[in-house]
Amino acid sequence: MAGKSRANNKGAEAQVPTGDVRTVTGMGGETHQLASGDLPTLTSDQGVAIADNQNQLKAGPRGPVLLEDFHYREKIFRFDHERIPERVVHARGYGAHGTFELSESLSEYTTARVLTEVGEKVPMFVRFSTVLGNKGSRDLARDVRGFAVKFYTQEGNWDIVANNIPVFFIQDAIKFPDLIHAGKPAPDREWPQAQTAHDNFWDYISLTPESMHMIMWTMSDRTLPRSFRFMEGFGVHSFRLIDAEGRSTFVKFHFKPKLGLQSVLWNEAVKISGNDPDFHRRDLWDSIENGAFPQWDLGVQLFDEEQAASFDFDHLDSTKIVPEEIVPVRKIGTFTLDRLVDNFFHETEQVAFCTQNIVPGIAFSDDPLLHGRNFSYLDTQLKRLGSPNFTHIPINAPRVPVNNYHQDGHMNMRNPKGRVNYEPNSWGQGPRENPETGYKHYPAHVEGQKLKVRSDTFSDHYSQARLFYISQTPIEQKHIGDALTFELSKCERLDIRQRMVAHLRNIDEGLANTVAIGLRLPAMPEPAPAAQPTRTDLPASDALSIVKRKNASFEGRKIGILVADGTDAKLVTGLTAAIEAEKALFEIIAPHVGGAILNDGTLLEARQKIDGGPSVLYDAVAVLLSAEGATKLARDAAAQDFVRDAFGHLKFIAYTEASKPLFAKGGILEADFDGGFVELAKAKDAKAFVTACRDVRYWAREMEVDLDAD
Ligand code: HDD
């Protein structure tokens, strides 16, 4: 064999044209794609054209490989270094570009151009994320969602590094590493991944009473968002707005989704995680690609020092909200996400948010969590991106001129030009300070001893936790009880379960009771010692509930339509027209992805094969089977799951009479057809179904399908 140059008998020069690419089969039978038409020639990083991207350089066809092959070495060297450290928190994220437009000027309060120039279009980038899971974990973990926003303003970059929850677990940044260590996988076993249902997390939380308000939020449906498009965002901390005279007004930033709020159920989240771990990123990608650009209003809560002093909580404490009923949220503008990234790594992975990125006219409050964050974000970017020059990466670079004497460092793209790299200088070159337009820190009066203490005004840990709980509808309260029971049932240690229930007694006795019964605790523990008694007179705040803020439309939601051979074509046309009229979306699901032959002989292509399109991926479903289709699908486990889950997850269900054998096999009998079912006998019935879907779920059914409801 030695000296033979062909591994098989394929011809060396057989050319197979495929589109713009000419394909040539090489000596070893491998495929070479030749540049032709508009396609560029493959090159090395040094710009040298590459002839063979499939074979290493060898001494003879079977001979040892030669180190001399600089192309091979460069390719593998680049590959070996592809990974950068993932974010220590918020590793799994997804981003998109957009534009912010102000509709109401805040010139009375601030000089920041981004908040004063009505109609000016400000480019921006948003990255949504989960917190605890690693980069490859799933989208539907029960977790807080990050909502980090970068505005490329004409006065420099402004970041709001927000979450979808308006409060945080801890009051002081020095606790952050412990909080995250406790939540992440345990250091010995490295599990559980992307979840808080384990001893370490609840051990830490039960020893940290200040986290109780946040716990009410994280155990609510807020941590199971249906998609990024249906989430609120909150800047959490108070910031300051500074006007032209140097006067300060406190501000809290809110993002309110135009499509309304929506979450999934826990059992649904578990199943979505298996079926489509990329559920949220796919949703964002698909909506932007289809031109259904998601939008959020930017809202502000504004209050002055005097008003702040009148609150019965300290607004500098990040475990507190300022209820919207006390200080309403003023909508001052809207942002639209309308452009996908060209490259995930370039943009979404390399984007570097820093809470310290603010512009003239905006300043920090004295929130100790915020100041701790200001150090952490800058520091982490150096570790992650490897150089203080991370601002030279296009996604991080301001869209205004950058002029300074910073220089050198790894990967520098932008050293100062000319001889002068210092200031002051007498060369008449280089940038200078500008006391008129430059950033001025707010000259807050500060006095005091240096102490490692927490203010007494931060010591009420339960009143707002209770406020959140009593503001929910009964069904939402039940979900909080269910979530706590589930999470604590995963704790091996009884004392941790007991310690948590002791805290719940300070929030709501009913909730503590539900969880104690759910866990079958041997006895009700004493309430946890509290520095301040819980206020039981706070009025409920409807803004805190998802269900109370009902949607006016089903826009942006997706209906799964199950069809099979023999399905009535007119029903499908009627339903899809009604869905489109609502600006909602649909997917056809069938036994074969190639489609189903409808009763008029047409072939309806499917988007999903039945076991690839379970009902958990849809907001509502339609089961439009003929007698023939129903008989066939009734034998299929995936089809049975489809109807069983749609029912169990309280979805609105459109059906044909002929589909009933499938429902029966899924355990849904005639008597179970409740107000959430709409029969589609004729095409015109579709409108009533889509209108019913605006309620998103048929909540009344939950009492029928859940043991915990007893
Ligand atoms: Fe943080 C990332 C939000 C407290 C330290 N955080 C990070 C991201 C978001 C938040 C959305 C992802 C940014 C991105 O998409 O790149 N973090 C919050 C909110 C907090 C909060 C709303 C409380 C109000 N964070 C917090 C504290 C510390 C950090 C108290 C440390 C003292 N956070 C970080 C970090 C991360 C981060 C380690 C990891 C990656 C990064 O910054 O860029 O610096």
Side-chain angles (χ1 to χ4, degrees):
M1 289 290 283
K4 280 207 175 167
S5 59
R6 290 187 189 177
N8 60 29
N9 291 329
K10 280 191 185 161
E13 291 302 322
Q15 293 194 358
V16 187
T18 48
D20 261 4
V21 185
R22 278 191 310 135
T23 311
V24 177
T25 307
M27 304 290 269
E30 77 286 348
T31 303
H32 296 277
Q33 299 200 322
L34 300 189
S36 74
D38 291 340
L39 293 179
T41 295
L42 188 71
T43 73
S44 73
D45 278 349
Q46 306 297 338
V48 176
I50 288 166
D52 183 334
N53 196 31
Q54 311 302 323
N55 298 292
Q56 287 187 63
L57 185 69
K58 302 184 203 80
R62 300 180 62 242
V65 298
L66 301 175
L67 202 55
E68 183 188 326
D69 188 349
F70 59 85
H71 165 223
Y72 161 77
R73 277 187 288 114
E74 180 192 83
K75 187 174 177 183
I76 297 300
F77 152 79
R78 289 305 309 256
F79 172 75
D80 290 345
H81 295 270
E82 275 180 9
R83 289 293 165 274
I84 62 171
E86 65 175 36
R87 288 164 172 83
V88 59
V89 284
H90 297 265
R92 183 170 176 78
Y94 214 62
H97 296 269
T99 307
F100 169 67
E101 201 173 326
L102 191 73
S103 49
E104 189 197 325
S105 173
L106 290 184
S107 55
E108 197 185 327
Y109 303 99
T110 179
T111 56
R113 195 182 162 98
V114 59
L115 298 177
T116 58
E117 297 309 300
V118 171
E120 199 166 274
K121 292 190 167 33
V122 181
M124 58 185 301
F125 186 78
V126 178
R127 182 177 180 272
F128 302 103
S129 49
T130 54
V131 181
L132 288 179
N134 67 25
K135 197 164 168 271
S137 67
R138 58 194 189 275
D139 281 349
L140 247 301
R142 178 185 285 284
D143 201 352
V144 179
R145 297 302 185 286
F147 194 136
V149 179
K150 191 181 283 294
F151 297 93
Y152 302 94
T153 86
Q154 292 192 24
E155 295 171 308
N157 286 355
W158 174 37
D159 294 354
I160 304 183
V161 197
N163 277 342
N164 74 332
I165 291 181
V167 288
F168 201 60
F169 294 99
I170 48 173
Q171 296 170 322
D172 193 307
I174 199 168
K175 290 165 157 256
F176 191 68
D178 299 298
L179 167 73
I180 300 303
H181 288 177
K184 287 251 188 192
D188 53 356
R189 59 211 69 189
E190 183 59 5
W191 47 264
Q193 173 67 226
Q195 56 184 302
T196 52
H198 57 102
D199 286 80
N200 280 13
F201 179 74
W202 288 104
D203 186 29
Y204 181 80
I205 291 299
S206 63
L207 296 169
T208 310
E210 73 207 57
S211 64
M212 289 307 142
H213 186 193
M214 180 77 168
I215 287 298
M216 288 297 107
W217 285 80
T218 60
M219 293 298 108
S220 79
D221 296 344
R222 296 269 179 166
T223 43
L224 303 172
R226 152 64 173 85
S227 95
F228 302 132
R229 296 181 295 137
F230 304 110
M231 283 181 353
E232 284 179 297
F234 304 91
V236 180
H237 315 281
S238 298
F239 287 82
R240 289 176 187 274
L241 296 182
I242 311 296
D243 72 7
E245 268 73 56
R247 284 179 303 232
S248 147
T249 307
F250 288 118
V251 61
K252 277 183 181 271
F253 295 106
H254 296 245
F255 308 126
K256 303 246 182 210
K258 289 267 201 202
L259 291 174
L261 299 177
Q262 191 178 319
S263 287
V264 302
L265 302 177
W266 170 244
N267 183 269
E268 211 178 355
V270 170
K271 291 174 179 167
I272 293 172
S273 294
N275 280 296
D276 187 3
D278 305 314
F279 190 64
H280 285 165
R281 44 179 65 190
R282 190 189 305 280
D283 175 275
L284 189 64
W285 179 277
D286 285 349
S287 5
I288 296 179
E289 197 169 54
N290 294 329
F293 303 135
Q295 291 188 307
W296 283 261
D297 287 322
L298 171 66
V300 289
Q301 285 180 295
L302 299 170
F303 50 97
D304 58 21
E305 298 270 1
E306 206 178 316
Q307 223 178 337
S310 73
F311 298 154
D312 54 15
F313 52 87
D314 194 331
H315 74 104
L316 299 181
D317 169 0
S318 277
T319 68
K320 302 295 184 299
I321 57 163
V322 176
E324 292 188 26
E325 287 74 11
I326 301 182
V327 180
V329 176
R330 249 164 90 169
K331 292 183 182 170
I332 57 160
T334 303
F335 69 80
T336 309
L337 297 184
D338 56 5
R339 186 158 64 85
L340 296 164
V341 297
D342 290 329
N343 182 274
F344 178 86
F345 183 85
H346 261 184
E347 292 144 89
T348 312
E349 195 58 14
Q350 294 199 114
V351 67
F353 296 94
C354 296
T355 49
Q356 65 167 19
N357 290 352
I358 50 175
V359 291
I362 302 176
F364 306 117
S365 72
D366 287 339
D367 180 338
L369 196 74
L370 174 59
H371 288 263
R373 292 179 74 194
N374 285 347
F375 166 71
S376 181
Y377 288 72
L378 183 64
D379 185 45
T380 211
Q381 309 313 348
L382 184 62
K383 164 83 182 164
R384 227 164 52 74
L385 300 168
S387 162
N389 292 318
F390 67 85
T391 53
H392 298 192
I393 301 171
I395 191 72
N396 296 322
R399 309 280 169 89
V400 290
V402 173
N403 292 309
N404 56 43
Y405 301 97
H406 302 162
Q407 67 172 29
D408 302 352
H410 288 291
M411 309 295 167
N412 191 301
M413 308 279 161
R414 211 177 52 205
N415 264 359
K417 287 206 174 81
R419 178 170 189 166
V420 185
N421 60 354
Y422 56 91
E423 197 256 347
N425 70 64
S426 61
W427 293 93
Q429 288 178 23
R432 295 290 188 270
E433 306 151 345
N434 186 337
E436 302 297 317
T437 60
Y439 186 90
K440 285 189 275 300
H441 289 268
Y442 178 68
H445 181 76
V446 182
E447 204 178 354
Q449 289 174 296
K450 292 181 190 171
L451 298 166
K452 269 194 173 252
V453 290
R454 198 88 55 87
S455 167
D456 284 345
T457 55
F458 281 33
S459 64
D460 176 5
H461 302 317
Y462 300 106
S463 299
Q464 286 210 353
R466 176 177 173 78
L467 168 67
F468 181 79
Y469 186 71
I470 62 164
S471 302
Q472 308 301 306
T473 58
I475 212 91
E476 291 171 300
Q477 290 185 337
K478 175 179 170 300
H479 291 177
I480 295 174
D482 290 351
L484 280 161
T485 309
F486 168 80
E487 297 251 329
L488 294 171
S489 75
K490 294 282 178 183
C491 293
E492 293 162 23
R493 276 174 46 192
L494 176 63
D495 61 320
I496 295 176
R497 291 181 227 149
Q498 286 170 323
R499 225 163 38 223
M500 267 314 298
V501 174
H503 286 296
L504 298 181
R505 293 197 63 183
N506 293 336
I507 297 171
D508 185 86
E509 283 289 0
L511 174 63
N513 231 352
T514 306
V515 178
I517 292 170
L519 293 169
R520 215 170 248 192
L521 287 189
M524 188 59 128
E526 287 300 309
Q532 280 192 40
T534 307
R535 283 193 56 181
T536 51
D537 58 347
L538 295 176
S541 165
D542 287 352
L544 304 180
S545 156
I546 295 177
V547 173
K548 285 183 193 168
R549 292 159 62 185
K550 202 164 153 319
N551 301 314
S553 130
F554 202 54
E555 181 179 346
R557 278 77 175 175
K558 199 189 271 182
I559 298 181
I561 308 177
L562 179 60
V563 301
D565 288 350
T567 288
D568 184 341
K570 287 205 181 91
L571 287 186
V572 176
T573 321
L575 179 57
T576 53
I579 294 172
E580 275 164 2
E582 186 79 0
K583 292 195 188 146
L585 309 158
F586 65 86
E587 265 181 16
I588 303 291
I589 306 134
H592 307 283
V593 74
I597 299 164
L598 305 185
N599 68 344
D600 63 355
T602 54
L603 176 76
L604 179 65
E605 260 188 49
R607 178 72 187 81
Q608 303 286 357
K609 175 169 155 43
I610 176 71
D611 34 10
S615 59
V616 291
L617 303 183
Y618 306 102
D619 299 289
V621 298
V623 184
L624 303 186
L625 302 179
S626 63
E628 172 203 353
T631 311
K632 197 170 164 196
L633 283 181
R635 290 177 29 236
D636 184 72
Q640 291 167 9
D641 281 351
F642 187 92
V643 292
R644 189 184 297 120
D645 275 343
F647 181 74
H649 298 147
L650 323 178
K651 286 184 180 156
F652 282 91
I653 302 174
Y655 67 97
T656 54
E657 183 64 26
S659 306
K660 283 188 171 168
L662 171 60
F663 284 97
K665 278 287 189 177
I668 301 147
L669 307 176
E670 197 69 48
D672 298 316
F673 280 60
D674 55 29
F677 283 76
V678 178
E679 186 185 345
L680 293 199
K682 294 185 236 51
K684 69 177 174 44
D685 299 336
K687 189 162 181 345
F689 169 61
V690 175
T691 306
C693 287
R694 290 176 187 168
D695 282 347
V696 179
R697 286 178 204 272
Y698 187 67
W699 293 111
R701 196 185 299 146
E702 178 147 344
M703 297 303 164
E704 308 300 323
V705 297
D706 188 355
L707 177 68
D708 291 331
D710 293 345

